[in-house]
Amino acid sequence: MLLSGAEILVKTLISEGVDTIFGYPGGSVLNIYDYLYKYKDQLKHYLTCHEQSAAHAADGYARATGKVGVCIATSGPGATNLVTGIATAYMDSTPMVAITGNVPKALLGKDSFQEVDITGITIPITKHNFIVKDVNELQGIIRKAFYIAKEGRPGPVLIDIPKDITIEKSDYEDLDPIEVTPKVKHITKDVLDEVARYINSSQKPLIYAGGGVINSGATEELIDIAEKINAPVATTLMCRGAIPSEHRLNTGMIGMHGSNASNILATKCDLIIALGARFSDRVISDKEFINNAKVVQIDVDPAEINKNVKVDSFIIGDIKSTLQKLIPLIKEKKNEEWLQTVENLKNLSASKNNDEKSEELTPRFLFEKLSEIDDGKFIITTEVGQHQMWTAQYFNFKNPRTLISSGGLGTMGFGLGAAIGVKIAQPDKTVFNIAGDGSFGMNCNEFATAVKYNIPIKVIVMNNNALGMVRQWQSLFYEARYSQTTLDRATDFVKLAEAFGGVGFRVEKREELENVLSSALITNKPVIIDYRIDSDKKVFPMVAPGAPIHQIINEEDVMGS
C-alpha cells in the first residue's frame, strides 16, 4: 500500500494505541494535520493555546495512565515552545513522543524561515531523538520512538519530520509495535542474595521510595516489603500515593520540605533501601546522614547507581520484578523498638503542625477539607511553589498516580495543561489543579482550552499576592528584601473564569469553603476557586539548602522573625 509520510505517521500512531494527541498546527505540519482530520474518528486531537501546554497535557495524560503521551508542533517557534514540556517529562521520567515538523530537507541548515535544529536543542533532554531523512524509514522510526519512550526508565523521545517527508510516499505495511518487557537481565541470584543479607541483618531499616516505584507499577510490592520488615517508608514528591498517606508505616515526604519524622529517621536508621529514587539534592542536601547507615539501591537506570551517593549494594532492574524476587528472601521482622521510635517521631511531626488559627484560611485547612470529600477518585495536579509542597504534605493520598507534579525541573505553569491531559485520560476521576497565583499566571490561557472542550477540571488558586516560595527564601535568607516577589496584580480570578466561559468562586472565610467545594464538584464546567491566604504563610518543615537533613526549621523556630 503506497501512502504519504503524513498518512504513515497517523496510521502508525493509531497502530501504537494512540487515541489522543495534543498540539498546535503550522505550515510545516499541514500535511500531518490534513490526515489528522481524515482520521479524526480514530485519533482525537486537542488544540491547546500554546505548544508548551500541549507537551504538559501529553505529560499529564502519560502520568495518569502509564501510556505514552503524544504532542505535536510545527517547526521553529512551535518546536522550541515544546522544549520546557519535554525537559519536564525528561526530569520526571515520563514516557512521551513529541513530533515536530521542519522545513524541507533541501532547506535544512540554511537559516530558512521557521527553521531550528530541534534535534540538536533537545539532545540533553530526551532519551533519544530522530530527524527523518527518508520516508521509507518513517514507520520504523516511530516504532522505535515508542519503544524507547516506554523501555527501562521512561522518558521523552522527539521525532523531527521535514515537510517534504510528509508528502513523499512509501509502501506501508502495518507492523506490530515493538514489545516492551521489564528489564531483568541483571537481577541475578547473587545480587538478590547480597541485598537480602543487608536487609535481614538490619535492625532499623528505612525505605526511601521514589517515582520509579510508581513507574514500574510496584506499589503493592512496596507495601509488602515494608510490612514484612516493619520498615518506615519515606517517599519523594514523585512517589506520593504509592503508599497511602494514612498507612502506619508511611512517614511522609523526605527532603527539603519533608516531614520531621522522615528526615530524622534518615539519620537514625542503619540501612537505607532506595527504591526507584535518585538521591537528588532536594532530598539529601548534605550527605552527612549517609555515614550512619548502609545503603542498598534498586533502580532500572544504571546511570543512577553511585551517582549522587556511594552505595553498599545495588540491583539494576525493574523495581516490580526485583521486589517480587527479593521479598521471598527477606525474613519477617517485628522491629518493635524501631517502630516505637517511628511512632514517636510521627507524633512529634503531628504536634509541630497543630498551630493553625481557627479563624484564618490556611493551606492545611484546604487540604483537610479536600481529603474529607475525596471518595478515592481525586487526582491532584499542581503548579510549582509553596502550594505544591503543601499539597504533598497535607493531602491524604490514597492511590498511586494521583499526584501529578513537576518535580525535577520545577516547571511553573505545568499544572493546568497537565490537568487537562489527566482529565481526558481519566474522565471518571475528579481532577483538581492546585496553583499559586504566580504559577497560574504563566499558562492561565489554557483555561480556554478546558472550556472549549468542556473538560471540567477544578483549579484552586492559592492566592497570596506573591511568588510565595521565592518570598519565603527572601524572608529566611535575604533579610526580608522582597525583590520582585510581591505581585500586586489586579486580576480577579472569578471574572477571569467567567470571561473564559467557565465558573468562578471566591473563598475568603473558612465557613465558605465547604459550600464552594460542593458547588464546584457538581458544576460540569471548568472551575476556578480563588482561595485567599496570607502572603507570609510559609512551608514548614524546611531544611536550608546545603544543610544536613536533620537540621530542620519548623515554624516555631522563626516565629517573630
Side-chain angles (χ1 to χ4, degrees), residues 345-416:
L345 285 170
K346 288 180 72 172
N347 290 336
L348 173 66
S349 292
S351 68
K352 285 182 178 293
N353 285 318
N354 288 331
D355 58 356
E356 299 285 4
K357 298 178 182 178
S358 60
E359 68 273 12
E360 68 173 355
L361 286 179
T362 62
R364 174 184 285 272
F365 180 70
L366 169 64
F367 291 110
E368 285 179 348
K369 289 297 180 184
L370 279 176
S371 296
E372 286 174 8
I373 62 175
D374 179 16
D375 57 358
K377 291 187 175 182
F378 283 11
I379 301 179
I380 309 293
T381 69
T382 78
E383 308 293 346
V384 170
Q386 289 177 311
H387 59 278
Q388 177 189 32
M389 295 296 102
W390 287 321
T391 304
Q393 290 175 338
Y394 297 146
F395 186 73
N396 180 12
F397 291 98
K398 300 177 177 67
N399 300 300
R401 299 191 185 276
T402 52
L403 175 62
I404 312 294
S405 189
S406 171
L409 197 64
T411 306
M412 294 175 70
F414 168 80
L416 183 53

Side-chain angles (χ1 to χ4, degrees), residues 307-354:
K307 185 175 83 173
N308 294 323
V309 166
K310 178 70 175 175
V311 301
D312 297 282
S313 184
F314 62 87
I315 299 174
I316 299 169
D318 175 70
I319 304 292
K320 186 179 182 74
S321 301
T322 301
L323 290 179
Q324 287 174 342
K325 295 175 184 295
L326 180 64
I327 289 171
L329 306 178
I330 303 300
K331 299 175 183 176
E332 290 190 23
K333 290 175 177 287
K334 292 186 177 181
N335 285 335
E336 292 177 354
E337 186 176 340
W338 179 230
L339 283 180
Q340 187 59 56
T341 300
V342 172
E343 191 63 27
N344 291 342
L345 285 170
K346 288 180 72 172
N347 290 336
L348 173 66
S349 292
S351 68
K352 285 182 178 293
N353 285 318
N354 288 331

